């Protein structure tokens, strides 16, 4: 869908892209083709798409024979997609993607991957939700704000390294695949975007993930302070010293110098 076609559809529906909904529609057909080639969906594979908009990516995913489940919050776009893809296998869910029960959509034993031009307003919350699933996606490819992508892919010692970096890279191989300029969207965002892939390398127990997330959030809540002091306020000095010894780190360390694997060891010992 080029800009002229997109503007015509917007006018037909009497709508303007909602800033609050993070609606930035991708118009570059070549980039859409790249996304499909790079992710290479196979026939009958389950694919989750969030924020399908006018279905530009949706149609290309369906053309591969994949079983697409799309989550759309805007009722006008949901109605549009129902009509446009009424004779296809598309499973359309009209809902807030951050509140959907994905364990019901993809029951245990159902493998799926997530490919989407994510609405920027929900990206961090939605990705965190994917990471906490008992049986999460084996692979994710998301269009994100470049800043968010750099946070996801950041390594210890980098200025962008934080709690979300730990949670993603702990169990995933995270890569910034492509930097995307604003002009391929309508409306054009004020920042560059990035296509980021997250390939799962292990699946942890949900309770373990929550423990690691809790410890990591607490540590980064005061990232300039000595991590030992920050954690001791909740767990006690003796327990934190033992956990740090198990992880091979010093009391005075700052959280941005602690690796994801060390955070996992700390959380296990604090539990």
């Amino acid at each position: 869908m080029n800009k002229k076609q997109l503007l015509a559809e917007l006018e037909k529906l009497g709508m303007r892209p909602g800033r609050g909904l993070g609606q930035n529609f991708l118009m570059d057909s070549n980039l859409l083709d790249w996304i499909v080639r790079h992710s290479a969906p196979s026939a009958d594979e389950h694919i989750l798409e969030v924020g399908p908009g006018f279905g530009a990516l949706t149609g290309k995913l369906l053309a591969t024979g994949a079983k697409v489940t799309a989550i759309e919050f805007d009722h006008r776009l949901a109605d549009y997609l129902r009509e446009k893809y009424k004779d296809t296998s598309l499973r359309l869910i009209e809902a807030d993607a951050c509140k959907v029960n994905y364990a019901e959509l993809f029951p245990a034993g159902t493998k799926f991957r997530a490919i989407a031009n994510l609405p920027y307003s929900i990206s961090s919350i939605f990705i965190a939700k994917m990471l906490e699933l008992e049986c999460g996606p084996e692979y994710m490819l998301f269009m994100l704000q470049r800043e968010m992508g750099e946070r996801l892919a950041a390594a210890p010692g980098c200025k962008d390294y934080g709690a979300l970096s730990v949670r993603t890279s702990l169990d995933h191989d995270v890569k910034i695949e492509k930097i995307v300029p604003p002009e391929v969207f309508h409306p054009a965002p004020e920042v560059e975007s990035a296509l980021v892939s997250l390939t799962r390398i292990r699946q942890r127990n949900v309770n373990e993930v929550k423990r690691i997330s809790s410890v990591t959030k607490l540590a980064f809540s005061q990232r300039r302070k000595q991590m030992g002091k920050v954690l001791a306020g909740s767990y006690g000095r003796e327990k934190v010293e033992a956990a740090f010894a198990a992880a091979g780190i010093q009391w005075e360390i700052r959280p941005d110098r602690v690796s994801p694997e060390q955070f996992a060891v700390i959380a296990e010992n604090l539990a």
Side-chain angles (χ1 to χ4, degrees):
M1 180 178 289
N2 58 37
K3 187 172 183 177
K4 183 178 180 181
Q5 293 168 328
L6 175 61
L7 292 175
E9 295 297 345
L10 285 167
E11 184 177 357
K12 191 183 301 182
L13 294 182
M15 67 176 284
R16 292 182 178 180
R19 183 180 295 272
L21 296 178
Q23 291 177 325
N24 300 92
F25 301 109
L26 184 57
M27 302 178 296
D28 191 314
S29 183
N30 290 329
L31 184 55
L32 289 166
D33 288 338
W34 184 93
I35 291 171
V36 175
R37 284 198 309 273
H38 190 77
S39 55
S42 57
D44 295 328
E45 177 186 7
H46 290 280
I47 298 292
L48 170 65
E49 183 189 9
V50 170
F54 284 94
L57 177 58
T58 314
K60 291 181 181 294
L61 292 171
L62 287 168
T64 68
K67 296 179 178 178
V68 180
T69 296
I71 316 293
E72 177 55 59
F73 181 75
D74 191 314
H75 69 90
R76 297 164 297 182
L77 292 174
D79 288 343
Y80 174 91
L81 291 169
R82 285 192 193 94
E83 178 61 27
K84 183 174 183 178
Y85 294 114
K86 61 183 178 182
D87 296 323
T88 71
S89 60
L90 176 67
R91 176 170 62 163
L92 180 66
I93 310 296
E94 185 177 342
D96 181 340
C98 295
K99 297 179 181 178
V100 169
N101 186 335
Y102 292 97
E104 288 185 357
L105 284 183
F106 302 101
T110 304
K111 294 180 179 181
F112 73 101
R113 297 192 297 158
I115 303 168
N117 173 24
L118 273 186
Y120 294 160
S121 58
I122 70 164
S123 56
S124 59
I125 298 173
F126 175 75
I127 291 172
K129 191 175 181 70
M130 291 292 101
L131 297 175
E132 292 176 358
L133 287 175
E134 184 78 61
C135 299
E138 297 183 317
Y139 172 88
M140 296 175 268
L141 179 64
F142 295 141
M143 182 76 78
L144 306 165
Q145 284 189 358
R146 180 173 181 171
E147 180 183 359
M148 170 62 72
E150 290 172 344
R151 284 173 57 200
L152 293 179
C158 296
K159 65 180 179 64
D160 295 314
Y161 184 68
L164 191 56
S165 317
V166 172
R167 294 166 73 187
T168 52
S169 59
L170 185 63
D171 297 322
H172 296 80
D173 179 20
V174 185
K175 292 181 181 178
I176 295 180
E177 302 287 358
K178 190 181 282 286
I179 301 301
V180 181
E183 54 266 24
V184 301
F185 299 95
H186 179 76
E190 297 177 356
V191 295
E192 288 184 315
S193 301
L195 275 163
V196 182
S197 66
L198 300 91
T199 304
R200 196 177 73 202
I201 53 179
R202 68 177 65 84
Q203 181 74 56
R204 292 179 192 268
N205 176 278
V206 170
N207 290 329
E208 184 182 1
V209 172
K210 289 181 178 178
R211 285 197 300 268
I212 296 169
S213 296
S214 179
V215 171
T216 306
K217 284 180 182 177
L218 178 58
F220 279 98
S221 68
Q222 301 180 68
R223 64 183 296 145
R224 301 300 180 191
K225 293 189 176 182
Q226 295 181 1
M227 192 167 127
K229 289 183 178 179
V230 175
L231 296 184
S234 296
Y235 296 98
R237 184 176 184 110
E238 184 177 347
K239 204 168 185 179
V240 172
E241 285 180 338
F244 277 27
I249 60 175
Q250 301 299 312
W251 181 265
E252 298 81 9
I253 199 168
R254 268 56 174 184
D256 60 358
R257 299 290 173 176
V258 180
S259 73
E261 294 76 16
Q262 287 171 322
F263 269 112
V265 172
I266 293 167
E268 180 182 356
N269 282 271
L270 289 179

